[in-house]
Amino acid sequence: MKEEIFLKKAIELARANIDQGGRPFGAVVVRDGQVIASGVNEIHSTNDPTAHAELTALRAASRALQSPDLRGCAVYASGHPCPMCMAAMRMAGVEQVRYALTNDDGAPFGLSTAAVYEDLSRPFSEQSMDIQHMPVSTEGQPELYEQWNQWRSPQAKKE
């Protein structure tokens, strides 16, 4: 089964990342049965808290395809993707996600994001982070989204 091959590749990347001092996470992005990009968790080398394996793989795939649109792609990850990675994959249009190890597998090692998923499922007022909507007056300037829409309208007509 090809899916197992892609998952094994993600695990190989994760193992190699451990050898480099990184966390045990790897991911590959596949389109039409071919690996188009891969990534590992780079938090240790970049000090970037968003440098998860899935996100580094998505960034590489977008560069390889010269597009932020990853429809038709699948992501194979060594571990259960966190909410940030899952959201990024959805926003990029990834259509399929497979992972080898679960949050339960990672929990004894401090590698589970189950608590984050649980917290995010609550209304903003009940989450551990203080989240509030605060409207701001733009004092005579166009509304931000309207300004963007006006800018993109001529761009869309050119395409």
Side-chain angles (χ1 to χ4, degrees), residues 24-44:
F25 299 106
V28 295
V29 179
V30 174
R31 180 183 267 176
D32 298 325
Q34 300 295 316
V35 174
I36 59 169
S38 63
V40 296
N41 184 292
E42 297 177 354
I43 293 173
H44 69 289

Side-chain angles (χ1 to χ4, degrees), residues 53-117:
E54 297 88 347
L55 293 187
T56 62
L58 289 182
R59 291 170 186 145
S62 292
R63 285 190 301 270
L65 296 173
Q66 297 183 349
S67 174
D69 184 355
L70 299 180
R71 281 180 285 191
C73 291
V75 173
Y76 295 85
S78 59
H80 189 278
C82 75
M84 172 182 66
C85 293
M86 198 67 81
M89 290 184 284
R90 283 179 181 255
M91 293 183 79
V94 169
E95 295 177 0
Q96 186 178 64
V97 177
R98 302 288 185 264
Y99 55 94
L101 297 166
T102 67
N103 272 325
D104 287 343
D105 296 326
F109 308 98
L111 298 173
S112 173
T113 57
V116 179
Y117 273 105

Side-chain angles (χ1 to χ4, degrees), residues 107-159:
F109 308 98
L111 298 173
S112 173
T113 57
V116 179
Y117 273 105
E118 183 182 333
D119 195 39
L120 288 172
S121 71
R122 297 183 186 123
F124 283 169
S125 63
E126 296 174 20
Q127 290 185 25
S128 61
M129 181 188 307
D130 182 4
I131 305 169
Q132 296 180 31
H133 172 234
M134 295 182 67
V136 176
S137 170
T138 58
E139 300 180 22
Q141 295 178 341
E143 194 273 327
L144 183 62
Y145 295 160
E146 182 58 37
Q147 180 182 343
W148 176 79
N149 190 49
Q150 290 171 5
W151 172 85
R152 95 181 160 110
S153 293
Q155 302 295 326
K157 290 176 186 171
K158 291 179 186 178
E159 296 173 352

